[in-house]
Amino acid sequence: MAKRKEENFVSHVNAKRPRQEEVEDFDRDGDEFNGTSTLTAAEVGIIESIQLKNFMCHSMLGPFKFGSNVNFVVGNNGSGKSAVLTALIVGLGGKAVATNRGSSLKGFVKDGQNSADISITLRNRGDDAYRANVYGDSIIVQQHISMDGSRSYKLKSATGSMVSTKKEELIAILDHFNIQVDNPVSVLTQEMSKQFLQSKNEGDKYKFFMKATQLEQMKEDYSYIMETKERTKEQINQGEERLTELKRQCLEKEERFQSIAGLSTMKTKLEHLKHEMAWAVVNEIEKQLNAIRDNIEIGEERAARLDRKMEEQQVRLNEAENKYKDIQDKLEKISQETNARAPECLALKADVTAKKRAYNEAEVLYNRSLNEYKALKKDDEQLCKRIEELKKSSDQSLEPERIERQKKISWLKEKVKALQDQESSVNQEIEQFQQAIEKDREEHSRIMREELDVKQTLTFNQKQLKELKDSKTDQLKRFGPNVPALLEAIDDADRRGLFTYKPVGPLGACIHLRDPELALAIECCLKGLLQAYCCHNHADERVLQALMQRFYPPETSRPQIIVSEFHSEIYDVRRRACHHPEFPTVLTALEIDNAVVANSLIDMKSIETVLLIKNNSVARAVMQSQKPPKNCREAFTADGDQVFPGRYYSSENRRPKFLSRDVDSEISHLENDIENKKAQILNLQQHLSALEKDIKRNEELLKRCQLHYKDLKLKIRKSISEIRELENIEEHQSVDIATLEDEAQENKSKMKLVEKNMEQQEEKMEILKSVKIEAENKYDAIKLKITQLSELADPLKNELDLADSEVDNQKRGKQHYEDKQKEHLDTLNKKKRELDMKEKELEEKMSQARQICPERIEVQKSASILDKEINRLRQKIQAEHASHGDREEIMRQYQEARETYLDLENKVRTLKRFIKLLEEIMTHRYRTYQQFRRCLTLRCKLYFDNLLSQRAYCGKMNFDHKNETLSISVQPGEGNKAAFNDMRALSGGERSFSTVCFILSLWSIAESPFRCLDEFDVYMDMVNRRIAMDMILKMADSQRFRQFILLTPQSMSSLPSSKLIRILRMSDPERGQTTLPFRPVTQEEEEDRS
């Protein structure tokens, strides 16, 4: 290994090289460009040592140490230089593809070995050290690579103790030290160096610049954020659409909750049956003793569960009441404050009114004095004029002038009368045109409404026509386009065992008419039940609801689901059914093969009590003119009209939709209706067009008449004014001029008095005005405060209503559980009493039965019959609940819908604020990014020009950020002797030198604790290699806080001796050798330096 000299390396280079002046110039320029060389050595992030085991083709490399500034790794090809650089990239978390040595980590494991190990020591000293209290002065990064391509990390302190095994900790360390192993400026591999040196693509150079300065990552981050913003905007739009639908659902559920009616009659009957059941059980208690004991045990468990539920409900009730009280207290406080300010507000308002009145009175007095002053002034002018006239023409006669004036007055009066007659006529025309326009507008609005109704009917008919045409190929599509697919899904779910019993439906597809003429009557009776489905229990209902969600969007209505236990036989309704010798009931008019369908229609609509009478007048006679048939609740006619004993409702439907057999006839009728509706719409549109033209024409005529009317008014006023002026001209009279002069003098005195009075009134008016304004300001301030208090109270009132509703709900919930508990405890006590009655005397049994029902009830039916009647009545109550909905379930659905709506509304509002803030931030960041890119571009150009000048080269760098290209032009020699050439026109050495200048320029603007170059001088001749080496050493001397690792096959024997330079020479591996020596040239010196 060559021995390095002890002299300063700059002096040594100057001594060894020819062209002394050129090197000295370089030194001087470099000092000016790169700054002082007195910077301290790096304290954090540089590589102190590295060790490899079973990595690539090497069994063992190292451990070896790197210097803190310049490190040359020299050796022949295959000696392991690139393996060290590859291990550095992989060991610090880099991907395999980044090394250009393989596509997978498993390729780095030496053949015949199961794993490879890399150990890298990073310096961690000074104020910028990473967790210095944990790691100490060094951080040891150990990586284990398995044969399958997986890897694991161990992060150790300077003492060798384990700190972490997570990759996130390694990433945090690299971020803290700003180490970027995938940045070509930090680590330029041999393959990347060759590609870059040989590349002639301006786009590749630009990409290299962007990646080296991390501008590419900033650009990608900006693009990703903008894409995220657009996706967020789409989410906002979807959320706003969803908000509208959720609000509608919330209102629907609230209305549904309000529409639930009581079922007190059936519940009273149910309680009566329970009393009978109690005495029937007394008679059969001995046979049921064992069952009663079991029931008592189960009942006690249920009572305990109900107790727990009641306690939970009480807690919720207390919370709701506390919330209600808090809101009520806030409202009471606001109300008290408002009431306290009300008297003050009223007093201020009265004060404002009084001051306004005083101001107005003062203004009236002022205006009165002003008018009086103007009249006196006018009189004064007339007196003066009169005196002058009398003086000039006292001897002339004015009789001819007076006669002429009288004639003109008569002519003007006749003219005014004619104009007034004409004005009256035009006014009548205006009224007629206004009435015509108003009439046309009312007709226009009526026809617009009629057109809208016809269009809605046309749309409905077109939809119905499409459904009928679809039903020709599949009868089930009559009940909805999604019904066939839904039934297939039900069949599939039933095959998978998801249902206890397969649901039945739609019910309209399970019934058949005995008389087709009664189709419309039966449809009007059953209505939505024709599309309904039956489920055996609530579990089956939930499965069916989930299936329906796949075929019915949230904004569309779904078929009704009836939950009732399936029976194989139809109910016996002979006792409560209606029987008429001529007219059938709905039950007898239908052929129903499925008992579940028949029982559901009996439960839901009591079809055994509804008569079908084809003729309307006969239906009225049967139901209203005489006593209705026994058990008959209502009747329907063939036209679909509904007849009650005291009421009659006409049907809006004219043809059946679901039960008609003649589909072609229905299609023909609908097509004719559609054509008629289209023709009707066309006629209405033509009528609308004619009305619009009439309105426009009448409006033009009205405008003309109004202008004519104004012109006539003006002429009349002008003529009347002329008449008054002529009448006011006084004839010249022979009066005494002295008298007129005295009168004029008196008039002037009055004018002075009035003028003085006006000044006083004006001063008073200004004082009252300022007082009025001050009172108004006070009143406005107190009124604004009261308004603000009212605005604060409005949301609290809404919250109070919601809290009140919540308290009511919780009270109902508590009452529900109390009733259930009471009912259950009553039943449990009854069972216990019945058990005691079995063991005691009959009298005790009777006494216990009277505790349930005080008076003895004669029970004619057996307990089993009573049980059936109770169950039937319960099913009917459940059916009513199913048609209207359970109160608690509806309330729960309403609360869920409201909470969902408020939650989504809050999310949408938050996202909007986020988008607005993000746009402001990104606008600022993008502007900063452009400024940062401009600064880096200018710095890179400056460094590049300066570095080229060291060899008397001239060059230009042209950045095209729009097209993402970087063109570099270099001229060897004097710049004024030849034009700039593209780098492709340079020789290999010149191009390599220019590329090194470009890389050094990037080094000067990119931040990293260490920089690695692999065979950077491979294409350089000796001259360019010497100059490039001098430039690198000069930069390293000026940047002692950074570490430089240079890999080269050259011997580097001519390098100067310096504490800043360390040469690590790798020997060629010998056959059978497993560990390569890798040490400093003089071990003693290196140990002293470290």
Side-chain angles (χ1 to χ4, degrees), residues 3-9 1056-1058 1085 1089:
K3 182 177 180 182
R4 287 174 289 172
K5 310 292 187 294
E6 294 295 328
E7 293 82 10
N8 180 276
F9 76 90
S1057 175
S1058 172
E1085 293 179 0
R1089 292 170 186 172

Side-chain angles (χ1 to χ4, degrees), residues 270 273 276 575 861 864-874:
L270 181 62
L273 289 175
E276 291 184 349
R575 288 188 178 182
K861 302 176 183 178
S864 60
I865 294 175
L866 287 172
D867 185 57
K868 289 181 179 179
E869 291 185 3
I870 289 173
N871 288 335
R872 190 177 297 114
L873 188 57
R874 281 177 176 168

Side-chain angles (χ1 to χ4, degrees), residues 18 71 193 195 273 320-321 324 376 380 384 409 417 476 484 555 572 606 655 764 836 867 881 884 917 949 951 995 1029:
N71 297 270
S193 176
Q195 292 176 1
L273 289 175
E321 288 177 342
Y324 177 83
L376 290 172
D380 182 65
C384 293
I409 289 172
K417 186 177 183 303
L476 291 173
E555 64 272 8
D572 184 3
S606 300
R655 287 184 299 275
K764 183 179 179 181
D836 292 339
D867 185 57
H881 275 299
H884 296 291
L917 180 61
S949 66
R951 200 182 167 193
T995 304
M1029 185 64 64

Side-chain angles (χ1 to χ4, degrees), residues 239-264:
E240 289 177 341
E241 294 175 359
R242 178 66 177 154
L243 271 177
T244 303
E245 176 60 23
L246 286 176
K247 186 174 182 180
R248 184 187 64 79
Q249 292 179 3
C250 187
L251 292 175
E252 287 179 356
K253 295 186 185 300
E254 186 177 8
E255 291 175 0
R256 187 180 174 194
F257 173 73
Q258 299 295 336
S259 65
I260 297 177
L263 303 174
S264 59

